mmCIF file of all heavy atoms in Angstrom:
data_model
loop_
_atom_site.group_PDB
_atom_site.id
_atom_site.type_symbol
_atom_site.label_atom_id
_atom_site.label_comp_id
_atom_site.label_asym_id
_atom_site.label_seq_id
_atom_site.Cartn_x
_atom_site.Cartn_y
_atom_site.Cartn_z
ATOM 1 N N PRO L 20 20.028 24.677 -4.742
ATOM 2 C CA PRO L 20 19.286 24.243 -3.570
ATOM 3 C C PRO L 20 17.704 24.212 -3.865
ATOM 4 O O PRO L 20 17.026 23.356 -3.330
ATOM 5 C CB PRO L 20 19.660 25.316 -2.470
ATOM 6 C CG PRO L 20 20.993 25.836 -3.018
ATOM 7 C CD PRO L 20 20.915 25.854 -4.472
ATOM 8 N N VAL L 21 17.231 25.267 -4.536
ATOM 9 C CA VAL L 21 15.785 25.247 -4.747
ATOM 10 C C VAL L 21 15.347 24.135 -5.610
ATOM 11 O O VAL L 21 14.331 23.442 -5.404
ATOM 12 C CB VAL L 21 15.437 26.632 -5.399
ATOM 13 C CG1 VAL L 21 13.913 26.627 -5.907
ATOM 14 C CG2 VAL L 21 15.683 27.800 -4.390
ATOM 15 N N MET L 22 16.150 23.885 -6.645
ATOM 16 C CA MET L 22 15.904 22.645 -7.485
ATOM 17 C C MET L 22 15.900 21.436 -6.725
ATOM 18 O O MET L 22 14.979 20.545 -6.877
ATOM 19 C CB MET L 22 16.843 22.618 -8.689
ATOM 20 C CG MET L 22 16.588 21.473 -9.600
ATOM 21 S SD MET L 22 17.780 21.425 -10.990
ATOM 22 C CE MET L 22 19.251 20.993 -10.096
ATOM 23 N N MET L 23 16.895 21.245 -5.832
ATOM 24 C CA MET L 23 16.942 19.994 -5.014
ATOM 25 C C MET L 23 15.682 19.917 -4.076
ATOM 26 O O MET L 23 15.229 18.857 -3.834
ATOM 27 C CB MET L 23 18.242 19.977 -4.168
ATOM 28 C CG MET L 23 19.458 19.859 -5.086
ATOM 29 S SD MET L 23 19.439 18.339 -6.010
ATOM 30 C CE MET L 23 20.801 18.574 -7.151
ATOM 31 N N LEU L 24 15.297 21.167 -3.545
ATOM 32 C CA LEU L 24 14.113 21.158 -2.697
ATOM 33 C C LEU L 24 12.918 20.590 -3.481
ATOM 34 O O LEU L 24 12.107 19.867 -2.943
ATOM 35 C CB LEU L 24 13.912 22.521 -2.075
ATOM 36 C CG LEU L 24 12.611 22.680 -1.227
ATOM 37 C CD1 LEU L 24 12.721 21.799 -0.005
ATOM 38 C CD2 LEU L 24 12.510 24.111 -0.742
ATOM 39 N N GLY L 25 12.825 21.183 -4.720
ATOM 40 C CA GLY L 25 11.672 20.811 -5.598
ATOM 41 C C GLY L 25 11.700 19.280 -5.805
ATOM 42 O O GLY L 25 10.634 18.531 -5.776
ATOM 43 N N ILE L 26 12.849 18.704 -6.107
ATOM 44 C CA ILE L 26 13.005 17.321 -6.348
ATOM 45 C C ILE L 26 12.619 16.513 -5.102
ATOM 46 O O ILE L 26 11.896 15.467 -5.139
ATOM 47 C CB ILE L 26 14.386 16.895 -6.802
ATOM 48 C CG1 ILE L 26 14.659 17.564 -8.146
ATOM 49 C CG2 ILE L 26 14.573 15.369 -6.762
ATOM 50 C CD1 ILE L 26 16.135 17.319 -8.664
ATOM 51 N N GLY L 27 13.091 17.002 -3.913
ATOM 52 C CA GLY L 27 12.768 16.395 -2.653
ATOM 53 C C GLY L 27 11.253 16.382 -2.356
ATOM 54 O O GLY L 27 10.750 15.392 -1.950
ATOM 55 N N VAL L 28 10.655 17.518 -2.599
ATOM 56 C CA VAL L 28 9.151 17.541 -2.448
ATOM 57 C C VAL L 28 8.451 16.537 -3.316
ATOM 58 O O VAL L 28 7.550 15.841 -2.881
ATOM 59 C CB VAL L 28 8.630 19.012 -2.701
ATOM 60 C CG1 VAL L 28 7.086 19.033 -2.740
ATOM 61 C CG2 VAL L 28 9.200 19.924 -1.619
ATOM 62 N N SER L 29 8.838 16.560 -4.587
ATOM 63 C CA SER L 29 8.165 15.576 -5.494
ATOM 64 C C SER L 29 8.428 14.188 -5.087
ATOM 65 O O SER L 29 7.460 13.315 -5.044
ATOM 66 C CB SER L 29 8.746 15.793 -6.966
ATOM 67 O OG SER L 29 8.554 17.090 -7.342
ATOM 68 N N VAL L 30 9.622 13.887 -4.660
ATOM 69 C CA VAL L 30 9.930 12.440 -4.269
ATOM 70 C C VAL L 30 9.113 12.164 -2.998
ATOM 71 O O VAL L 30 8.583 10.962 -2.793
ATOM 72 C CB VAL L 30 11.408 12.239 -4.071
ATOM 73 C CG1 VAL L 30 11.725 10.910 -3.425
ATOM 74 C CG2 VAL L 30 12.192 12.350 -5.330
ATOM 75 N N SER L 31 9.036 13.159 -2.041
ATOM 76 C CA SER L 31 8.355 12.838 -0.792
ATOM 77 C C SER L 31 6.858 12.591 -1.040
ATOM 78 O O SER L 31 6.200 11.736 -0.476
ATOM 79 C CB SER L 31 8.502 13.998 0.097
ATOM 80 O OG SER L 31 9.827 14.266 0.539
ATOM 81 N N VAL L 32 6.283 13.407 -1.961
ATOM 82 C CA VAL L 32 4.880 13.261 -2.298
ATOM 83 C C VAL L 32 4.581 11.864 -2.918
ATOM 84 O O VAL L 32 3.698 11.133 -2.532
ATOM 85 C CB VAL L 32 4.341 14.324 -3.118
ATOM 86 C CG1 VAL L 32 2.937 14.042 -3.751
ATOM 87 C CG2 VAL L 32 4.365 15.659 -2.478
ATOM 88 N N LEU L 33 5.469 11.542 -3.883
ATOM 89 C CA LEU L 33 5.289 10.212 -4.535
ATOM 90 C C LEU L 33 5.559 9.105 -3.513
ATOM 91 O O LEU L 33 4.777 8.076 -3.488
ATOM 92 C CB LEU L 33 6.295 10.098 -5.650
ATOM 93 C CG LEU L 33 6.109 10.973 -6.862
ATOM 94 C CD1 LEU L 33 7.270 10.814 -7.819
ATOM 95 C CD2 LEU L 33 4.748 10.520 -7.531
ATOM 96 N N THR L 34 6.499 9.339 -2.624
ATOM 97 C CA THR L 34 6.806 8.190 -1.626
ATOM 98 C C THR L 34 5.615 8.019 -0.706
ATOM 99 O O THR L 34 5.179 6.941 -0.405
ATOM 100 C CB THR L 34 8.016 8.545 -0.833
ATOM 101 O OG1 THR L 34 9.125 8.626 -1.708
ATOM 102 C CG2 THR L 34 8.339 7.476 0.200
ATOM 103 N N LEU L 35 5.082 9.242 -0.152
ATOM 104 C CA LEU L 35 3.925 9.049 0.718
ATOM 105 C C LEU L 35 2.742 8.486 0.022
ATOM 106 O O LEU L 35 1.949 7.661 0.646
ATOM 107 C CB LEU L 35 3.570 10.470 1.258
ATOM 108 C CG LEU L 35 4.534 11.146 2.160
ATOM 109 C CD1 LEU L 35 4.082 12.515 2.571
ATOM 110 C CD2 LEU L 35 4.678 10.277 3.458
ATOM 111 N N SER L 36 2.489 8.812 -1.206
ATOM 112 C CA SER L 36 1.466 8.167 -2.016
ATOM 113 C C SER L 36 1.597 6.636 -2.157
ATOM 114 O O SER L 36 0.717 5.912 -1.940
ATOM 115 C CB SER L 36 1.325 8.823 -3.415
ATOM 116 O OG SER L 36 0.277 8.254 -4.154
ATOM 117 N N MET L 37 2.857 6.295 -2.426
ATOM 118 C CA MET L 37 3.193 4.899 -2.623
ATOM 119 C C MET L 37 3.010 4.108 -1.297
ATOM 120 O O MET L 37 2.581 2.939 -1.286
ATOM 121 C CB MET L 37 4.561 4.708 -3.135
ATOM 122 C CG MET L 37 4.729 5.130 -4.601
ATOM 123 S SD MET L 37 6.469 5.079 -5.220
ATOM 124 C CE MET L 37 6.692 3.294 -5.091
ATOM 125 N N VAL L 38 3.357 4.737 -0.193
ATOM 126 C CA VAL L 38 3.256 4.223 1.130
ATOM 127 C C VAL L 38 1.826 3.847 1.450
ATOM 128 O O VAL L 38 1.459 2.827 1.913
ATOM 129 C CB VAL L 38 3.881 5.039 2.247
ATOM 130 C CG1 VAL L 38 3.561 4.532 3.594
ATOM 131 C CG2 VAL L 38 5.441 5.000 2.080
ATOM 132 N N ARG L 39 0.950 4.937 1.157
ATOM 133 C CA ARG L 39 -0.457 4.684 1.427
ATOM 134 C C ARG L 39 -0.970 3.622 0.530
ATOM 135 O O ARG L 39 -1.726 2.767 0.928
ATOM 136 C CB ARG L 39 -1.180 6.065 1.067
ATOM 137 C CG ARG L 39 -0.865 7.165 2.093
ATOM 138 C CD ARG L 39 -1.935 8.355 1.851
ATOM 139 N NE ARG L 39 -1.508 9.463 2.593
ATOM 140 C CZ ARG L 39 -0.825 10.562 2.134
ATOM 141 N NH1 ARG L 39 -0.453 10.538 0.860
ATOM 142 N NH2 ARG L 39 -0.513 11.572 2.912
ATOM 143 N N GLN L 40 -0.567 3.565 -0.793
ATOM 144 C CA GLN L 40 -1.045 2.550 -1.614
ATOM 145 C C GLN L 40 -0.598 1.199 -1.165
ATOM 146 O O GLN L 40 -1.281 0.137 -1.228
ATOM 147 C CB GLN L 40 -0.563 2.758 -3.034
ATOM 148 C CG GLN L 40 -1.168 3.953 -3.798
ATOM 149 C CD GLN L 40 -0.650 4.221 -5.159
ATOM 150 O OE1 GLN L 40 0.164 3.481 -5.594
ATOM 151 N NE2 GLN L 40 -1.058 5.227 -5.789
ATOM 152 N N GLN L 41 0.735 1.103 -0.669
ATOM 153 C CA GLN L 41 1.150 -0.103 -0.207
ATOM 154 C C GLN L 41 0.366 -0.556 1.059
ATOM 155 O O GLN L 41 0.116 -1.786 1.209
ATOM 156 C CB GLN L 41 2.662 0.014 0.203
ATOM 157 C CG GLN L 41 3.353 -1.273 0.671
ATOM 158 C CD GLN L 41 4.772 -1.145 0.917
ATOM 159 O OE1 GLN L 41 5.314 -0.056 0.756
ATOM 160 N NE2 GLN L 41 5.468 -2.258 1.401
ATOM 161 N N ARG L 42 0.146 0.313 1.933
ATOM 162 C CA ARG L 42 -0.734 -0.071 3.110
ATOM 163 C C ARG L 42 -2.066 -0.569 2.704
ATOM 164 O O ARG L 42 -2.604 -1.592 3.272
ATOM 165 C CB ARG L 42 -0.843 1.116 4.038
ATOM 166 C CG ARG L 42 0.413 1.502 4.699
ATOM 167 C CD ARG L 42 0.279 2.737 5.584
ATOM 168 N NE ARG L 42 1.502 3.108 6.243
ATOM 169 C CZ ARG L 42 1.763 4.249 6.925
ATOM 170 N NH1 ARG L 42 0.752 5.168 7.020
ATOM 171 N NH2 ARG L 42 2.880 4.491 7.575
ATOM 172 N N ASP L 43 -2.689 0.140 1.744
ATOM 173 C CA ASP L 43 -4.030 -0.285 1.203
ATOM 174 C C ASP L 43 -3.928 -1.685 0.644
ATOM 175 O O ASP L 43 -4.709 -2.572 0.866
ATOM 176 C CB ASP L 43 -4.545 0.671 0.163
ATOM 177 C CG ASP L 43 -4.921 2.070 0.836
ATOM 178 O OD1 ASP L 43 -5.104 2.059 2.022
ATOM 179 O OD2 ASP L 43 -5.037 3.002 0.066
ATOM 180 N N LEU L 44 -2.853 -1.814 -0.178
ATOM 181 C CA LEU L 44 -2.650 -3.142 -0.804
ATOM 182 C C LEU L 44 -2.399 -4.263 0.279
ATOM 183 O O LEU L 44 -2.918 -5.389 0.104
ATOM 184 C CB LEU L 44 -1.429 -3.126 -1.753
ATOM 185 C CG LEU L 44 -1.696 -2.338 -3.032
ATOM 186 C CD1 LEU L 44 -0.405 -2.360 -3.875
ATOM 187 C CD2 LEU L 44 -2.777 -3.023 -3.891
ATOM 188 N N GLU L 45 -1.577 -3.920 1.311
ATOM 189 C CA GLU L 45 -1.359 -4.943 2.368
ATOM 190 C C GLU L 45 -2.720 -5.304 3.105
ATOM 191 O O GLU L 45 -2.855 -6.454 3.431
ATOM 192 C CB GLU L 45 -0.372 -4.392 3.331
ATOM 193 C CG GLU L 45 1.056 -4.292 2.785
ATOM 194 C CD GLU L 45 1.973 -3.631 3.775
ATOM 195 O OE1 GLU L 45 1.572 -3.127 4.725
ATOM 196 O OE2 GLU L 45 3.223 -3.635 3.362
ATOM 197 N N GLU L 46 -3.508 -4.243 3.367
ATOM 198 C CA GLU L 46 -4.840 -4.472 3.971
ATOM 199 C C GLU L 46 -5.697 -5.412 3.079
ATOM 200 O O GLU L 46 -6.302 -6.368 3.543
ATOM 201 C CB GLU L 46 -5.543 -3.150 4.340
ATOM 202 C CG GLU L 46 -4.878 -2.382 5.363
ATOM 203 C CD GLU L 46 -5.618 -1.070 5.693
ATOM 204 O OE1 GLU L 46 -6.591 -0.776 4.998
ATOM 205 O OE2 GLU L 46 -5.134 -0.314 6.496
ATOM 206 N N LYS L 47 -5.751 -5.038 1.780
ATOM 207 C CA LYS L 47 -6.559 -5.822 0.848
ATOM 208 C C LYS L 47 -5.966 -7.286 0.728
ATOM 209 O O LYS L 47 -6.727 -8.260 0.531
ATOM 210 C CB LYS L 47 -6.553 -5.160 -0.532
ATOM 211 C CG LYS L 47 -7.397 -3.895 -0.506
ATOM 212 C CD LYS L 47 -7.381 -3.216 -1.849
ATOM 213 C CE LYS L 47 -8.200 -1.981 -1.883
ATOM 214 N NZ LYS L 47 -8.184 -1.303 -3.227
ATOM 215 N N ASP L 48 -4.643 -7.390 0.755
ATOM 216 C CA ASP L 48 -4.047 -8.719 0.687
ATOM 217 C C ASP L 48 -4.442 -9.499 1.991
ATOM 218 O O ASP L 48 -4.679 -10.694 1.784
ATOM 219 C CB ASP L 48 -2.544 -8.426 0.604
ATOM 220 C CG ASP L 48 -1.800 -9.816 0.533
ATOM 221 O OD1 ASP L 48 -1.936 -10.515 -0.487
ATOM 222 O OD2 ASP L 48 -1.052 -10.227 1.462
ATOM 223 N N ALA L 49 -4.349 -8.864 3.068
ATOM 224 C CA ALA L 49 -4.759 -9.537 4.279
ATOM 225 C C ALA L 49 -6.274 -10.045 4.246
ATOM 226 O O ALA L 49 -6.584 -11.147 4.604
ATOM 227 C CB ALA L 49 -4.558 -8.731 5.528
ATOM 228 N N GLN L 50 -7.090 -9.094 3.682
ATOM 229 C CA GLN L 50 -8.468 -9.473 3.567
ATOM 230 C C GLN L 50 -8.663 -10.567 2.497
ATOM 231 O O GLN L 50 -9.449 -11.536 2.761
ATOM 232 C CB GLN L 50 -9.344 -8.278 3.086
ATOM 233 C CG GLN L 50 -9.403 -7.174 4.174
ATOM 234 C CD GLN L 50 -10.101 -5.970 3.586
ATOM 235 O OE1 GLN L 50 -10.598 -5.893 2.462
ATOM 236 N NE2 GLN L 50 -10.366 -4.953 4.502
ATOM 237 N N LEU L 51 -7.924 -10.554 1.436
ATOM 238 C CA LEU L 51 -7.993 -11.621 0.379
ATOM 239 C C LEU L 51 -7.578 -12.932 0.998
ATOM 240 O O LEU L 51 -8.117 -13.976 0.652
ATOM 241 C CB LEU L 51 -7.159 -11.151 -0.830
ATOM 242 C CG LEU L 51 -7.825 -10.118 -1.716
ATOM 243 C CD1 LEU L 51 -6.773 -9.724 -2.819
ATOM 244 C CD2 LEU L 51 -9.057 -10.601 -2.304
ATOM 245 N N ARG L 52 -6.492 -12.839 1.761
ATOM 246 C CA ARG L 52 -6.013 -14.125 2.396
ATOM 247 C C ARG L 52 -7.029 -14.762 3.310
ATOM 248 O O ARG L 52 -7.198 -15.968 3.294
ATOM 249 C CB ARG L 52 -4.661 -13.870 3.192
ATOM 250 C CG ARG L 52 -3.520 -13.613 2.254
ATOM 251 C CD ARG L 52 -2.286 -13.293 3.102
ATOM 252 N NE ARG L 52 -1.123 -12.921 2.255
ATOM 253 C CZ ARG L 52 -0.290 -13.817 1.649
ATOM 254 N NH1 ARG L 52 -0.519 -15.118 1.898
ATOM 255 N NH2 ARG L 52 0.642 -13.408 0.826
ATOM 256 N N LEU L 53 -7.745 -13.842 4.174
ATOM 257 C CA LEU L 53 -8.771 -14.360 4.974
ATOM 258 C C LEU L 53 -9.943 -14.927 4.187
ATOM 259 O O LEU L 53 -10.510 -15.990 4.506
ATOM 260 C CB LEU L 53 -9.307 -13.201 5.879
ATOM 261 C CG LEU L 53 -8.318 -12.764 6.991
ATOM 262 C CD1 LEU L 53 -8.827 -11.596 7.743
ATOM 263 C CD2 LEU L 53 -8.035 -13.928 7.998
ATOM 264 N N THR L 54 -10.293 -14.097 3.102
ATOM 265 C CA THR L 54 -11.352 -14.662 2.232
ATOM 266 C C THR L 54 -11.031 -15.939 1.530
ATOM 267 O O THR L 54 -11.826 -16.809 1.407
ATOM 268 C CB THR L 54 -11.671 -13.531 1.118
ATOM 269 O OG1 THR L 54 -11.998 -12.279 1.743
ATOM 270 C CG2 THR L 54 -12.856 -13.969 0.272
ATOM 271 N N LEU L 55 -9.727 -16.040 1.081
ATOM 272 C CA LEU L 55 -9.302 -17.284 0.421
ATOM 273 C C LEU L 55 -9.321 -18.456 1.463
ATOM 274 O O LEU L 55 -9.754 -19.550 1.070
ATOM 275 C CB LEU L 55 -7.844 -17.069 -0.162
ATOM 276 C CG LEU L 55 -7.282 -18.281 -0.845
ATOM 277 C CD1 LEU L 55 -8.056 -18.725 -1.934
ATOM 278 C CD2 LEU L 55 -5.803 -18.007 -1.229
ATOM 279 N N LYS L 56 -8.856 -18.160 2.710
ATOM 280 C CA LYS L 56 -8.816 -19.173 3.727
ATOM 281 C C LYS L 56 -10.277 -19.689 3.992
ATOM 282 O O LYS L 56 -10.568 -20.860 4.080
ATOM 283 C CB LYS L 56 -8.215 -18.709 4.957
ATOM 284 C CG LYS L 56 -8.097 -19.714 6.141
ATOM 285 C CD LYS L 56 -7.412 -19.075 7.372
ATOM 286 C CE LYS L 56 -7.318 -20.121 8.396
ATOM 287 N NZ LYS L 56 -6.596 -19.482 9.680
ATOM 288 N N GLU L 57 -11.259 -18.689 4.102
ATOM 289 C CA GLU L 57 -12.622 -19.060 4.324
ATOM 290 C C GLU L 57 -13.210 -19.789 3.156
ATOM 291 O O GLU L 57 -13.964 -20.747 3.328
ATOM 292 C CB GLU L 57 -13.405 -17.752 4.657
ATOM 293 C CG GLU L 57 -14.925 -18.050 4.968
ATOM 294 C CD GLU L 57 -15.184 -18.857 6.142
ATOM 295 O OE1 GLU L 57 -14.278 -19.002 7.008
ATOM 296 O OE2 GLU L 57 -16.278 -19.435 6.268
ATOM 297 N N SER L 58 -12.832 -19.402 1.964
ATOM 298 C CA SER L 58 -13.324 -20.000 0.744
ATOM 299 C C SER L 58 -12.836 -21.439 0.682
ATOM 300 O O SER L 58 -13.587 -22.320 0.351
ATOM 301 C CB SER L 58 -12.884 -19.194 -0.536
ATOM 302 O OG SER L 58 -13.262 -19.888 -1.619
ATOM 303 N N LYS L 59 -11.550 -21.695 1.050
ATOM 304 C CA LYS L 59 -11.058 -22.969 0.974
ATOM 305 C C LYS L 59 -11.752 -23.889 2.076
ATOM 306 O O LYS L 59 -12.056 -25.053 1.880
ATOM 307 C CB LYS L 59 -9.533 -23.040 1.267
ATOM 308 C CG LYS L 59 -8.734 -22.444 0.073
ATOM 309 C CD LYS L 59 -7.242 -22.603 0.320
ATOM 310 C CE LYS L 59 -6.456 -22.087 -0.869
ATOM 311 N NZ LYS L 59 -4.971 -22.202 -0.650
ATOM 312 N N ARG L 60 -12.035 -23.215 3.236
ATOM 313 C CA ARG L 60 -12.716 -24.026 4.240
ATOM 314 C C ARG L 60 -14.116 -24.475 3.798
ATOM 315 O O ARG L 60 -14.553 -25.520 3.997
ATOM 316 C CB ARG L 60 -12.875 -23.151 5.589
ATOM 317 C CG ARG L 60 -13.329 -23.933 6.770
ATOM 318 C CD ARG L 60 -13.573 -23.030 7.912
ATOM 319 N NE ARG L 60 -14.688 -22.115 7.747
ATOM 320 C CZ ARG L 60 -15.964 -22.470 7.921
ATOM 321 N NH1 ARG L 60 -16.283 -23.735 8.311
ATOM 322 N NH2 ARG L 60 -16.934 -21.691 7.649
ATOM 323 N N GLN L 61 -14.851 -23.374 3.179
ATOM 324 C CA GLN L 61 -16.176 -23.668 2.631
ATOM 325 C C GLN L 61 -16.091 -24.731 1.574
ATOM 326 O O GLN L 61 -17.005 -25.641 1.466
ATOM 327 C CB GLN L 61 -16.788 -22.391 2.098
ATOM 328 C CG GLN L 61 -17.071 -21.363 3.257
ATOM 329 C CD GLN L 61 -18.268 -21.751 4.028
ATOM 330 O OE1 GLN L 61 -18.974 -22.687 3.800
ATOM 331 N NE2 GLN L 61 -18.499 -20.974 5.176
#
């Protein structure tokens, strides 16, 4: 059980980190899309 808890903690930390990175990437992607749209307009 302790080993499974350790695995669970590691997976949770990695997952939370990946979720944050994904959110950051999504925000940057949205900004890039807006920038690309404005660039195409210009």
Side-chain angles (χ1 to χ4, degrees):
V21 172
M22 182 179 69
M23 294 299 169
L24 177 62
I26 293 173
V28 170
S29 299
V30 173
S31 295
V32 171
L33 290 174
T34 300
L35 291 175
S36 176
M37 291 176 63
V38 168
R39 293 192 188 97
Q40 290 180 1
Q41 183 177 359
R42 289 175 180 171
D43 292 341
L44 289 175
E45 289 175 352
E46 291 178 358
K47 291 179 180 179
D48 181 66
Q50 293 176 356
L51 286 174
R52 288 179 182 274
L53 289 174
T54 303
L55 179 61
K56 183 178 179 181
E57 179 64 18
S58 176
K59 288 184 177 180
R60 189 187 71 81
Q61 294 286 351

